[in-house]
Amino acid sequence: MPPGSLIERSFLERAPDLVAPDVLGKLLARRVSGTLLVGRIVEVEAYFGQDDPAAHAAAGPTARNAVLFGPAGHAYVYFIYGMYSCLNISCELEGQAGSVLVRALEPLAGLTQMTNARGLAPSAAPRLLTSGPGRLCQAFGLTRATHNGVDLLDEHSDLQLRDDGFVVPGVVVTPRIGISKAAERPLRYSVDGNPCVSGPKRLARPIT
DNA sequence: GGAATGATAGTCT
DNA sequence: GACTATCATTCCG
């Protein structure tokens, strides 16, 4: 049984820039073959629908981004750069696009399983397991084929968003990472001082 | 320590 | 045919 309780759907039926800071400190939990994987969300980015040229939903609904236009609380998983997957949590009411990209987790349970999934040595530092959107998907075994469209707020889902009452010490807001359009908008939210947040060096990387 | 670069494939124009 | 909401490695200072 995963820790905490499932999050209310109404919590996510809001604008992504309001959901993003509130989802910091919440838990992502996955049951896989008897093993429980749990990580605390420590870094996210908000993406809107229209009016956000950096969002996948900016050009309207397509086969790939359909989940973003669906009801809140579902997983939008997409394949990127030929090697990695990224996980979003859909926000807003059905028909309205919007999501929160989960960029980093603090691993809490199932570290051995995550280490194996990442192909790392047993001695690897825990922060290497889930500090980055591609990394955390690899650690949790998330792919578009297996998890796109999964309801994160269903007790029967194998991937869930939960709340154990933890309150983050502080939130830092910075520009989003890895995008070329609207890169200046401060929509990246992270837990102040958490070592699992992807490093400040990447934040300073020039956008060309 | 920091910056540049290659790997690699799905999706849309 | 171009473009990614990335990561690990390689180079340079």
Side-chain angles (χ1 to χ4, degrees), chain A residues 177-188:
Chain A
I177 292 178
I179 57 176
S180 56
K181 302 164 194 164
E184 75 288 352
R185 296 173 71 172
L187 293 172
R188 172 174 175 260

Side-chain angles (χ1 to χ4, degrees), chain A residues 114-167:
Chain A
M114 293 186 201
T115 303
N116 290 337
R118 292 266 295 121
L120 298 174
S123 58
R127 58 151 291 136
L128 293 177
L129 297 177
T130 54
S131 60
R135 289 170 171 178
L136 72 90
C137 281
Q138 198 174 28
F140 271 67
L142 307 181
T143 65
R144 172 174 159 80
T146 57
H147 289 85
N148 189 50
V150 167
D151 186 359
L152 301 173
L153 308 183
D154 186 326
E155 196 65 55
H156 300 294
S157 296
D158 93 322
L159 185 66
Q160 299 174 2
L161 188 60
R162 305 182 71 90
D163 183 0
D164 67 346
F166 181 85
V167 177

